[in-house]
Amino acid sequence: MSAVAPQKSLLVNGYEVVIGFETHTQLSTHSKIFSRSSVAFGAEPNTQASVVDMALPGTLPVMNKGAVERAIKLGLAVGGYVSDKSVFARKNYFYPDLPKGYQISQFEIPVVQGGAVSFLLDGEPTSVRLVRAHLEEDAGKSLHDDFVGQSGIDLNRAGTPLLEIVTEPDMRSSAEAVAYAKELHKLVTWIGICDGNMQEGSFRCDANVSVRKPGAELGTRREIKNLNSFRFMQQAIDFEILWQIEQIEDGYAIQQATVLFDPDTGETRAMRTKEDAADYRYFPDPDLPPLVISREWVARVQAAMPELPRVMAKRLIETHGLSVYDADMLTASQHTAAYFEAATSGCGQPKLVANWMMGELSKRLNGDGLEIAHAPVQALLLAALVARIQDQTISNNAARQVFDALWNGESADVDALIESKGLKQMNDTTALEAIIADVVAANPDNVVQFKAGKDKAFNALVGQVMKASKGKANPQQVNDLLRAALEA
Ligand code: ADP
Ligand code: MG
């Protein structure tokens, strides 16, 4: 286990909030964790359920190495210990969508132990410790709405590989919990072990929430199940916190329970009282040998790991002088980071690229509901545009017009657009000096006022020159030349 529990104090009505997360990430393998059926989303019910998934007698599970490899990646990404030997266990319970009568999971020795997830919370570096991450299979699904008076069972999901990632109860606010969940989501998609699709259930969080008076023992927790949107996560936790405080203030004790969030009412509702581990009668699964992970395997996975987002953010700060905030934004996803790096190497202007990405580009992406991977203005096109700002061919204002034209598909040629729209900045000193001479001659009053120390008069003259150049003069150059002319 790494480090010590974070010291954070944030009170809600005199109570300290304590939150721990259990996140089910669906691993991005093609087939299931113990069978060869496909895990593709959206298939007709029961078309992806093999005899193993249906738990027919005499069938045996076979471990999918791809799932293990993804668990190793997570272990390395969070700086946890990848167990050299871990054990699959049977978690026994009855539910119609669980035909075996038990779920294969890991109990005593999980595949990953310890580690931490670090992120920024309101600009402050924060860290949440992990207890463990263990491999397990998903259950099937009961279909209650498809038949009148009957329920159906779809076993397509049964046996889907999950990695359950469990934190210490380190979080102290809903904002921190959401920031943690976002960072974990970023991490698992970044290292390519999970597609991160929350609507399809690839990333589901259970939030364990309790409250206590500062300094008291941990309070009794309630577990909000299956949060699959960051917005609902925040709402659910906020509601739960206030509900628990109210209960305690009214003299009731909190009962340990599993609750569901109802987005329609914005409330959490008890689903069942919570089982303890003992109720599941865990025992090692005799059908599966212990999972042995050689150090060579770990080393091979390590060698193929991408640069992690935190490491990359640090590199961007150090090599390009970007701010912590900018570096964090630019490493929001692999696609964003790749875009930034490609655009920067295309024009050599990291700060301008960063400004454009977080300004115009992100504005247009949001407006059109697009992911950066599908942006009509791709990295090299932005680089070409930035290069023309940098070499003073166009002003920032003109560049925005070119960006819009690129975005709308008018042309994919920056220089052609600058030409056809007549946006070229006037950098010809002689021509500019001629304009300035005309303006100075035509505005003697302003000249007199300038000489009397009035800045306003100077600005008025700059405005006249800009107007005479039809907005194409470089404002800085106008300033310099005008001042020189007036002081000559
Ligand atoms: P279980 O296996 O029964 O779900 P765990 O002890 O594994 O219980 O804890 C599950 C999650 O609940 C962990 O993320 C842990 O940090 C969190 N947790 C445990 N106790 C509390 C508490 N009192 N308040 C908030 N979260 C808690
Ligand atoms: Mg648990």
Side-chain angles (χ1 to χ4, degrees):
M1 216 168 283
S2 61
V4 290
Q7 299 297 306
K8 309 160 213 172
S9 61
L10 250 184
L11 297 186
V12 182
N13 301 341
Y15 286 82
E16 184 182 42
V17 173
V18 175
I19 304 170
F21 261 52
E22 297 164 284
T23 303
H24 292 92
T25 50
Q26 177 174 330
L27 298 174
S28 55
T29 54
H30 295 295
S31 55
K32 293 187 178 175
I33 186 167
F34 300 119
S35 81
R36 301 182 68 175
S37 332
S38 165
V39 295
F41 182 81
E44 283 295 304
N46 298 309
T47 54
Q48 292 177 170
S50 71
V51 290
V52 173
D53 311 320
M54 290 188 286
L56 295 193
T59 56
L60 286 173
V62 177
M63 182 72 227
N64 177 343
K65 275 196 152 184
V68 180
E69 182 171 298
R70 285 166 177 78
I72 298 173
K73 281 189 179 170
L74 187 275
L76 293 170
V78 298
Y81 174 67
V82 178
S83 303
D84 49 356
K85 191 173 158 188
S86 67
V87 176
F88 286 102
R90 292 185 177 181
K91 181 179 183 178
N92 297 281
Y93 66 95
F94 171 79
Y95 206 73
D97 64 19
L98 187 75
K100 286 201 297 292
Y102 60 87
Q103 175 195 26
I104 304 177
S105 182
Q106 297 191 306
F107 187 54
E108 272 170 8
I109 313 179
V111 60
V112 174
Q113 305 174 43
V117 174
S118 302
F119 52 94
L120 293 178
L121 179 62
D122 294 334
E124 289 295 314
T126 308
S127 188
V128 170
R129 297 167 303 159
L130 300 183
V131 179
R132 58 191 270 147
H134 61 256
L135 285 162
E136 63 184 27
E137 58 178 349
D138 208 348
K141 208 169 108 187
S142 301
L143 308 170
H144 299 301
D145 300 330
D146 300 21
F147 312 96
V148 179
Q150 290 178 322
S151 287
I153 299 290
D154 176 9
L155 293 177
N156 282 352
R157 230 194 153 85
T160 297
L162 303 178
L163 187 65
E164 178 173 340
I165 302 164
V166 183
T167 76
E168 296 281 354
D170 278 354
M171 291 164 276
R172 293 292 174 269
S173 67
S174 60
E176 184 179 7
V178 172
Y180 160 78
K182 285 186 173 168
E183 187 67 29
L184 183 65
H185 183 267
K186 167 159 117 183
L187 200 57
V188 296
T189 50
W190 186 285
I191 62 177
I193 68 169
C194 172
D195 69 15
N197 191 323
M198 295 178 80
Q199 286 85 45
E200 293 179 4
S202 300
F203 187 89
R204 285 126 57 190
C205 294
D206 301 342
N208 293 270
V209 180
S210 68
V211 298
R212 64 174 170 188
K213 288 285 186 186
E217 297 279 296
L218 282 183
T220 303
R221 70 193 150 107
R222 304 211 311 162
E223 179 176 2
I224 315 169
K225 279 296 220 195
N226 279 333
L227 295 166
N228 67 350
S229 109
F230 295 121
R231 193 159 58 88
F232 291 161
M233 192 178 292
Q234 176 112 29
Q235 289 176 7
I237 296 172
D238 283 338
F239 176 86
E240 180 64 25
I241 291 167
L242 294 177
W243 184 86
Q244 288 188 18
I245 292 174
E246 197 179 293
Q247 290 289 302
I248 296 171
E249 289 289 307
D250 288 350
Y252 299 107
I254 303 294
Q255 299 276 349
Q256 188 164 328
T258 301
V259 307
L260 282 181
F261 176 67
D262 181 349
D264 293 332
T265 61
E267 299 183 353
T268 52
R269 212 161 3 86
M271 190 165 92
R272 52 177 142 99
T273 55
K274 166 97 185 152
E275 298 86 353
D276 276 325
D279 300 330
Y280 290 119
R281 305 289 190 278
Y282 279 100
F283 65 89
D285 191 325
D287 287 343
L288 286 156
L291 175 61
V292 175
I293 300 176
S294 71
R295 298 305 93 179
E296 291 72 43
W297 191 6
V298 176
R300 273 200 309 278
V301 174
Q302 174 77 73
M305 286 284 281
E307 184 181 29
L308 296 175
R310 299 266 74 167
V311 177
M312 181 172 184
K314 193 154 173 268
R315 175 168 62 78
L316 297 185
I317 292 165
E318 281 163 6
T319 57
H320 299 316
L322 296 182
S323 70
V324 173
Y325 177 81
D326 288 4
D328 197 52
M329 297 300 286
L330 294 170
T331 51
S333 72
Q334 285 263 27
H335 283 306
T336 308
Y339 188 110
F340 172 76
E341 298 234 273
T344 296
S345 64
C347 66
Q349 297 299 323
K351 286 195 179 161
L352 274 176
V353 169
N355 288 344
W356 276 81
M357 282 182 69
M358 290 188 296
E360 289 301 301
L361 178 65
S362 106
K363 202 163 79 194
R364 296 301 302 252
L365 288 173
N366 286 339
D368 294 2
L370 284 177
E371 296 291 334
I372 195 165
H374 302 124
V377 178
Q378 278 302 308
L380 291 181
L381 212 44
L382 182 67
L385 179 62
V386 165
R388 290 294 165 264
I389 304 169
Q390 177 61 23
D391 69 12
Q392 310 210 336
T393 304
I394 49 174
S395 67
N396 253 309
N397 261 333
R400 266 194 281 279
Q401 292 179 50
V402 177
F403 185 86
D404 282 345
L406 293 170
W407 191 275
N408 299 332
E410 280 175 44
S411 161
D413 184 332
V414 170
D415 289 329
L417 279 169
I418 293 172
E419 199 57 52
S420 69
K421 292 186 178 292
L423 294 171
K424 213 177 218 144
Q425 208 158 231
M426 183 185 278
N427 291 314
D428 174 350
T429 318
T430 323
L432 204 48
E433 277 169 346
I435 294 179
I436 287 172
D438 288 348
V439 168
V440 167
N443 296 278
D445 294 355
N446 282 329
V447 176
V448 171
Q449 285 175 20
F450 168 76
K451 296 210 160 139
K454 294 224 170 83
D455 283 349
K456 247 183 156 170
F458 183 75
N459 294 339
L461 289 168
V462 170
Q464 291 291 329
V465 176
M466 291 306 292
K467 195 170 155 200
S469 77
K470 302 202 174 65
K472 289 182 199 169
N474 174 341
Q476 187 55 50
Q477 204 179 9
V478 171
N479 255 277
D480 296 345
L481 292 176
L482 181 62
R483 205 168 283 278
L486 291 171
E487 283 165 1

